[in-house]
Amino acid sequence: MSDHVYKVIEIVGSSTQSSDHAIQQAVTKASTSLRNLDWFEVVETRGHIVDGKVAHYQVKLKIGFRLD
């Protein structure tokens, strides 16, 4: 196994469906412009409340990818 060097970025995914969907949205979008995505870490979860119900989810992620 060779040694790797990683870059870590922070992004925020959002969804009206769920926090899991917000994560999927963020990773999918990141994969369109970044290569070698290896892992993610959920750093923060928050949401928006309307009329006493959860209306929107936001999830801040750290995403690690290998540098060429």
Side-chain angles (χ1 to χ4, degrees):
M1 176 179 240
S2 61
D3 295 330
H4 298 291
V5 175
Y6 295 88
K7 171 82 175 164
V8 178
I9 61 168
E10 282 190 347
I11 62 174
V12 177
S14 62
S15 172
T16 57
Q17 296 176 18
S18 69
S19 57
D20 287 344
H21 188 251
I23 292 168
Q24 291 292 336
Q25 294 284 91
V27 171
T28 298
K29 183 65 173 179
S31 71
T32 64
S33 61
L34 300 170
R35 295 188 318 257
N36 303 321
L37 299 181
D38 269 359
W39 55 268
F40 73 90
E41 172 186 354
V42 174
V43 178
E44 185 177 321
T45 303
R46 61 182 169 265
H48 183 228
I49 299 169
V50 175
D51 297 327
K53 296 180 183 175
V54 176
H56 203 257
Y57 302 85
Q58 286 187 331
V59 181
K60 183 190 290 185
L61 306 170
K62 287 185 180 180
I63 294 185
F65 58 95
R66 286 185 324 277
L67 297 177
D68 290 334

